[in-house]
Amino acid sequence: MENSSSLSHSYADGLPPRESALSAVSWAAVFAGAVIAAALSLALLAGGTGLGFLSVSPWGDEGMSAPAVGIGIIGWMLFTQIVAYGIGGYVAGRLRTKWVDVHSDEVYFRDTAHGFLVWALSAVVSAALLGSAIASVASGAARAGAAMAGTAGTVATAAAAAGASGGGLDQVTDYFTDTLMRSERPDASGDPDTARGEVGRIVAMSLTRGEMTPEDRDYVIKVVAAQTGLEPAVAQRRVEQAIANAKKAAEDAKVKAKQAADAARKAAAAFALWGFASMLIGAFVASLAATWGGRRRDTVHRV
């Protein structure tokens, strides 16, 4: 009412309304609100982390289930945004400078903008700090990985002979070395462990290729027959059955890996969307709380 009467009085005198000498943005109040919001977010994040550790358990019959933990994380994230940015926006509204000869609608807009600036500044600073932390962790991991690589040497993707789909570099080298040293008539008196390792490498290479070559199959049949004393026909059926079981195990492992990757993708997408929604809620709450704080500040000032 006071601002409206001042504007009406100026127009009645034939003079344009006076422009306030003060800036439309009280940056000191914005910075104060942003710092408070960031500090509260950090404190609530630490508290939520502690509650999360208390709510889970390595024992199957204790603690919260995975879906319940996910719902709890989302709920706490929304609670953090509302509390931190609500208080930060309100403080910015209470601390901002009083604008004189400004229409009430303009005051409302400026207070809303101050709350939004509190949210934006706090989000940018938090993102910068988080990015620096992630970069430091990634740099440390890269240095550790380089040191391990220099100590252990270059290793390709490892795979077990029990049904994995890939082969390590050493395993591939051993396989081709075995092909050079193969005997046309494997002897049962040979070391069983050596025969087991050789057959395991052949099976692993077959899984990598997708099938076992006829030469490898004939050799494995001979080794199995020599080591077990079975007839060649029986050894052949055993080898073919073992190869079929290994292929099925490898396919099952691939399916499970794809299912796990798909579940992780969906969980990451849901978490990102909820994070986006929580940030929008934080921006709205900060803007609304700043208008409350600004209105209260002007009311107290008049009194």
Side-chain angles (χ1 to χ4, degrees):
M1 295 298 295
E2 178 182 345
N3 293 335
S4 300
S5 4
S6 299
L7 290 174
S8 300
H9 180 69
S10 299
Y11 279 117
D13 294 341
L15 298 175
R18 298 191 306 272
E19 184 72 19
S20 175
L22 299 176
S23 172
V25 180
S26 298
W27 284 109
V30 171
F31 277 108
V35 169
I36 291 174
L40 286 175
S41 297
L42 180 61
L44 291 174
L45 177 62
T49 303
L51 292 176
F53 281 124
L54 291 175
S55 63
V56 297
S57 173
W59 307 107
D61 55 347
E62 296 182 7
M64 299 174 60
S65 62
V69 171
I71 295 174
I73 291 175
I74 293 173
W76 189 263
M77 185 167 52
L78 296 174
F79 174 77
T80 299
Q81 292 283 321
I82 293 173
V83 172
Y85 288 107
I87 295 177
Y90 184 83
V91 170
R94 289 298 298 267
L95 295 181
R96 58 97 169 148
T97 305
K98 177 178 175 60
W99 299 294
V100 296
D101 295 335
V102 178
H103 195 274
S104 58
D105 291 342
E106 179 65 16
V107 172
Y108 183 83
F109 173 80
R110 292 184 183 184
D111 283 334
T112 304
H114 274 65
F116 189 78
L117 284 173
V118 167
W119 170 83
L121 181 60
S122 177
V124 169
V125 172
S126 299
L129 294 177
L130 182 61
S132 300
I134 292 176
S136 299
V137 172
S139 177
R143 288 195 296 269
M148 293 178 64
T151 302
T154 305
V155 180
T157 304
S165 60
L169 181 60
D170 293 339
Q171 192 175 37
V172 173
T173 303
D174 291 341
Y175 166 79
F176 286 108
T177 303
D178 291 339
T179 61
L180 297 175
M181 305 300 294
R182 285 179 184 176
S183 172
E184 292 297 328
R185 301 180 64 183
D187 188 0
S189 62
D191 184 7
D193 292 335
T194 302
R196 182 189 300 272
E198 184 180 7
V199 172
R201 288 187 289 271
I202 294 174
V203 173
M205 182 60 66
S206 301
L207 293 176
T208 302
R209 292 171 173 171
E211 61 180 357
M212 182 177 289
T213 63
E215 295 81 5
D216 287 343
R217 179 180 286 104
D218 293 340
Y219 181 75
V220 170
I221 291 172
K222 292 178 182 179
V223 173
V224 172
Q227 292 292 330
T228 61
L230 296 174
E231 294 293 331
V234 178
Q236 180 178 357
R237 288 195 297 270
R238 177 178 291 187
V239 169
E240 291 176 351
Q241 183 63 40
I243 294 174
N245 292 338
K247 287 183 178 180
K248 185 177 183 302
E251 291 298 327
D252 292 343
K254 289 180 181 179
V255 171
K256 290 181 179 179
K258 289 181 180 180
Q259 291 175 346
D262 187 61
R265 176 188 62 82
K266 292 179 180 179
F271 184 79
L273 291 175
W274 275 108
F276 172 72
S278 69
M279 292 186 69
L280 292 182
I281 292 174
F284 173 78
V285 170
S287 302
L288 181 63
T291 62
W292 293 346
R295 186 182 302 113
R296 179 61 180 168
R297 185 247 185 257
D298 291 342
T299 302
V300 173
H301 180 78
R302 284 198 297 268
V303 175

